Amino acid sequence: MSEQQYAPGTHPDLKPPIGQSGLLFWFRKNLFSSPFNTLLTLTTLYVLYLVIPAATNWAFFDAVFVADSREHCRELGQGACWAFIDNRIEQFTYGFYPVDERWRVVLCFALFVLAMLPILWDKTPARRQMLWFSLAFPFIGYWLLVGGYGLEPVETTRFGGFMLTMVIGITGIACSMPIGIALALGRQSDMPIIRWLSTCFIEFIRGVPLITLLFVASTMLNYFLPPGTTFDLILRVLIMVTLFSSAYIAEVVRGGLQAIPKGQGEAADALGLNYGKSMRFIILPQALKISIPGIVNTFIGLFKDTTLVVIIGLLDPLGIGRASLSDIKWAGLAAEVYIFVAFFFFICCFGMSRYSIYLENKLHTGHKR
Amino acid sequence: MSDTAQSSMTISDDVMITINEMHKWYGDFHVLKNINLSVNHGERIVICGPSGSGKSTLIRCINRLEEHQRGDIIVDGTTLTNDLKNIEQIRREVGMVFQHFNLFPHLTVMENCTLAPIWVRKMPKAEAEAVAMKYLERVKIPDQAFKYPGQLSGGQQQRVAIARSLCMNPKIMLFDEPTSALDPEMIKEVLDVMIELAHEGMTMICVTHEMGFAKTVANRVIFMDGGEIIEQNPPSEFFENPQNERTKLFLSQILAH
């Protein structure tokens, strides 16, 4: 077939040749492009064929959702015994929080979602007013969970389960961000004292395992504090987790700061913006945008590291799971417990990961320079 | 450029910038040596010279992007010292345009233009936007106001950068090789804006290799080499009758082709 001729400058836009786009083309190009690729595709399909039906049968079709004990479970079906989880779900969620007061945890979580909405989503109706609520939420949340001022006081030692994970994770994330940014700026400061202090802090915290810090929190602080001061264990853990992740955030943000071309700061200077305004409007928005993957990475790490508190005697979901496994009535259901706990963590971390991708796309403004 | 246009650009006797026996070092390296320069209100000065001669460093000293170690720089009656108040005062009055535009990529063109007026001059937002629109019209890109810098061509970006500086209503404009990073066909659109600005009587100091611009717009051309001002003269004198050997060599090199 001969090509149709066009005079120079009049060539129209044509469609790509047949077979070079569309679904079939995608299959051929990505799955069956070579014998080896074809082999890989078929092997993968076979493995999926083996795994998926077995897994779904175990988790859903053969699973038992209502039963009284492990024996009862086995009589009813061969799959997972979710009845155990169902039996313990309250404990997994609230730990040992007094039963009559658990509505406060639920309310606190609902208010938390409401408080996060204007922060995470810039199209929230009445965002400005809502942000004031977000600012007040930490105090409201504290009051709801701990009590006092008209509410029944609840000892923080009774916190546990997902609630404990959320409290530590969210407080850690919320507090380590500003501290991390401050440390990153401090490390780049022109003032030697501030620079040295920030650097020492970051290097020290990063050089020590989180578990060590948690042990310090649970035991050593008593030696340093004046005798007689009671210092809530969870509060200590919160401080340690926050300091720990703020050191990491600081380094991630410093990486972002260094990626900003020098000209940006010079342009801000030349326009008469002072240090604070230049950071607030020009440097940090760009540096934080670049740092999003690293920041979210650190947050996900922090969230999962909350399970370490089990070592100093706090019962997070993993701790509750381990404790409940020793119940004679339900003994031997480790798979169900760990899969369930893993699922909870996965949902939270995957959510953070997806949100960070959404944020990156939203903040992308045309070509990178 | 005709002589009538030249004469329409008035120069008064008010001194805007005085530089007295100024020296600057980078570590041990002596970059600027005994710089003496006086710029009057409405003067348009072009600085040229081989690369590494200290031209950019000199104009960056004027708004304290670089610190000088000896001598005085007095801008619009304010002496540059380490006092941040003084520096900010001077930066408010001195606009600067960079070789690589340095627009803020996370802000729209409009936000680039209104940021400093709102936060430095404390101008109400609506007024700042009106001013920004005025200058964007002057640089002929009002229709791009709500795009991001990354969506514009180089020439358009540099014109936005000029408009952004003008929004602060500066008394002096510094240009640091404003056309060096541009494709040839975009240089003209930027130079046209600069020429127009010169006709309006703006005090300008411009580091550039655009000798055509120097001939038509400048009323003084300064040649620098090795951190020193070698020669300064009106363009006619400078181009037709260079005094110093190094100036002659430089001119023969850049005007050869």
Side-chain angles (χ1 to χ4, degrees):
Chain A
M1 202 175 83
S2 69
E3 282 282 330
Q4 195 181 337
Q5 296 298 314
Y6 300 97
T10 64
H11 204 301
D13 296 335
L14 300 176
K15 284 205 158 93
I18 295 160
Q20 292 299 303
S21 63
L23 195 63
L24 264 177
F25 173 70
W26 187 91
F27 270 105
R28 198 152 39 113
K29 183 172 165 231
N30 293 294
L31 299 178
F32 302 102
S33 62
S34 67
F36 181 64
N37 198 350
T38 309
L39 185 72
L40 274 184
T41 304
L42 294 177
T43 316
T44 310
L45 283 176
Y46 182 66
V47 170
L48 288 178
Y49 164 76
L50 289 182
V51 169
I52 288 182
T56 45
N57 279 344
W58 181 83
F60 300 109
F61 302 118
D62 296 341
V64 180
F65 294 91
V66 185
D68 300 328
S69 68
R70 181 164 189 259
E71 306 305 312
H72 193 190
C73 253
R74 284 292 154 268
E75 286 164 29
L76 291 172
Q78 290 305 306
C81 182
W82 298 125
F84 176 43
I85 304 295
D86 187 44
N87 192 275
R88 298 278 174 153
I89 190 74
E90 297 263 308
Q91 213 178 56
F92 268 117
T93 314
Y94 306 105
F96 304 99
Y97 208 84
V99 179
D100 289 343
E101 306 292 332
R102 285 181 181 170
W103 61 270
R104 278 155 53 178
V105 180
V106 177
L107 179 62
C108 184
F109 183 74
L111 291 180
F112 164 73
V113 172
L114 202 63
M116 287 310 283
L117 209 63
I119 297 174
L120 298 182
W121 190 46
D122 61 353
K123 291 190 192 70
T124 313
R127 189 169 182 227
R128 273 175 179 275
Q129 292 84 329
M130 293 276 285
L131 278 171
W132 285 109
F133 171 70
S134 308
L135 220 59
F137 172 76
F139 305 100
I140 301 170
Y142 178 83
W143 174 61
L144 276 174
L145 292 181
V146 178
Y149 303 104
L151 285 175
E152 183 79 17
V154 176
E155 299 254 327
T156 53
T157 45
R158 310 191 68 165
F159 287 19
F162 297 139
M163 173 210 161
L164 180 66
T165 302
M166 295 298 259
V167 167
I168 299 176
I170 290 161
T171 315
I173 286 172
C175 298
S176 63
M177 190 73 203
I179 299 177
I181 293 173
L183 283 171
L185 294 177
R187 197 168 179 171
Q188 302 226 309
S189 168
D190 292 334
M191 286 172 268
I193 305 265
I194 293 181
R195 194 168 61 236
W196 290 332
L197 282 177
S198 308
T199 310
C200 286
F201 178 86
I202 291 168
E203 294 302 340
F204 172 73
I205 298 280
R206 276 203 312 174
V208 175
L210 178 57
I211 298 185
T212 319
L213 290 179
L214 291 178
F215 275 131
V216 170
S218 76
T219 58
M220 294 291 284
L221 280 183
N222 285 341
Y223 295 112
F224 301 132
L225 293 168
T229 35
T230 49
F231 205 48
D232 193 288
L233 180 61
I234 289 193
L235 185 60
R236 295 186 209 171
V237 168
L238 283 177
I239 291 172
M240 285 306 179
V241 167
T242 302
L243 294 184
F244 187 75
S245 77
S246 62
Y248 282 85
I249 293 287
E251 287 299 277
V252 170
V253 172
R254 189 167 69 95
L257 287 172
Q258 283 177 348
I260 305 300
K262 215 166 146 243
Q264 292 290 308
E266 287 177 353
D269 286 348
L271 284 169
L273 294 167
N274 61 23
Y275 176 82
K277 283 170 188 154
S278 155
M279 282 297 152
R280 175 173 156 206
F281 296 116
I282 308 302
I283 307 296
L284 278 178
Q286 297 184 60
L288 292 180
K289 189 196 130 191
I290 302 175
S291 313
I292 288 172
I295 291 174
V296 172
N297 199 18
T298 309
F299 284 163
I300 287 177
L302 177 153
F303 194 75
K304 294 191 297 182
D305 280 352
T306 57
T307 51
L308 289 174
V309 297
V310 78
I311 292 176
I312 57 167
L314 293 175
L315 290 183
D316 81 315
L318 220 49
I320 301 243
R322 286 237 313 250
S324 53
L325 282 176
S326 55
D327 185 343
I328 306 279
K329 216 167 97 178
W330 296 97
L333 293 172
E336 282 84 345
V337 167
Y338 291 130
I339 286 173
F340 174 63
V341 173
F343 186 69
F344 163 75
F345 278 101
F346 177 77
I347 292 293
C348 293
C349 297
F350 187 65
M352 283 193 251
S353 162
R354 296 314 297 183
Y355 179 73
S356 87
I357 291 171
Y358 156 79
L359 204 58
E360 279 176 63
N361 287 336
K362 199 189 76 172
L363 295 179
H364 181 70
T365 56
H367 309 284
K368 301 207 171 85
R369 44 159 296 150
Chain B
M1 181 67 54
S2 67
D3 283 332
T4 48
Q6 276 279 9
S7 60
S8 76
M9 305 184 240
T10 50
I11 303 164
S12 75
D13 293 333
D14 314 342
V15 179
M16 289 300 282
I17 303 172
T18 311
I19 302 179
N20 260 332
E21 296 174 10
M22 190 265 276
H23 293 255
K24 172 169 179 60
W25 287 263
Y26 281 128
D28 286 339
F29 178 54
H30 201 167
V31 232
L32 292 177
K33 300 168 185 164
N34 195 28
I35 303 291
N36 288 289
L37 181 66
S38 172
V39 181
N40 285 352
H41 183 90
E43 265 202 290
R44 299 157 310 275
I45 293 183
V46 163
I47 305 180
C48 60
S51 69
S53 58
K55 332 178 273 295
S56 291
T57 312
L58 171 57
I59 68 164
R60 286 160 61 90
C61 281
I62 294 171
N63 66 350
R64 238 325 146 94
L65 290 182
E66 305 282 356
E67 199 177 327
H68 62 280
Q69 278 85 28
R70 242 172 72 187
D72 295 317
I73 300 179
I74 303 160
V75 182
D76 193 26
T78 311
T79 307
L80 262 178
T81 58
N82 277 324
D83 186 358
L84 277 177
K85 282 241 153 45
N86 270 352
I87 296 172
E88 278 165 23
Q89 156 95 31
I90 285 171
R91 284 174 178 169
R92 275 198 289 273
E93 306 305 335
V94 180
M96 185 162 202
V97 175
F98 299 86
Q99 180 177 5
H100 294 288
F101 331 136
N102 297 359
L103 292 176
F104 307 131
H106 61 302
L107 301 176
T108 61
V109 166
M110 179 57 94
E111 288 165 337
N112 264 279
C113 291
T114 56
L115 185 81
I118 290 174
W119 291 97
V120 179
R121 290 240 188 262
K122 312 288 177 207
M123 205 185 268
K125 190 168 178 240
E127 192 189 335
E129 285 179 349
V131 170
M133 217 52 200
K134 184 179 98 185
Y135 286 114
L136 287 173
E137 269 160 28
R138 171 133 32 120
V139 300
K140 300 180 187 69
I141 33 175
D143 46 326
Q144 313 283 355
F146 298 99
K147 286 191 180 166
Y148 286 96
Q151 297 163 315
L152 306 184
S153 74
Q156 289 172 325
Q157 289 193 44
Q158 193 61 298
R159 284 184 284 154
V160 171
I162 294 173
R164 178 176 72 176
S165 287
L166 292 177
C167 284
M168 284 294 281
N169 200 14
K171 294 181 178 157
I172 302 162
M173 285 287 283
L174 307 174
F175 293 85
D176 188 359
E177 306 204 23
T179 55
S180 302
L182 295 176
D183 290 338
E185 74 261 36
M186 292 171 183
I187 291 177
K188 185 175 178 296
E189 64 190 49
V190 171
L191 288 181
D192 284 348
V193 169
M194 290 169 62
I195 290 167
E196 206 175 302
L197 204 60
H199 287 178
E200 286 161 16
M202 175 66 76
T203 311
M204 295 162 72
I205 301 183
C206 184
V207 173
T208 186
H209 295 119
E210 296 295 330
M211 289 303 128
F213 175 78
K215 279 178 193 161
T216 53
V217 175
N219 46 5
R220 204 167 1 140
V221 182
I222 292 178
F223 174 70
M224 287 184 73
D225 193 13
E228 287 179 276
I229 293 180
I230 304 289
E231 183 166 347
Q232 45 178 319
N233 264 321
S236 52
E237 188 74 8
F238 181 85
F239 288 109
E240 278 148 38
N241 189 15
Q243 303 295 313
N244 192 289
E245 281 309 313
R246 278 193 273 183
T247 317
K248 285 177 194 164
L249 181 66
F250 176 74
L251 286 176
S252 72
Q253 279 165 342
I254 59 166
L255 299 176
H257 47 262

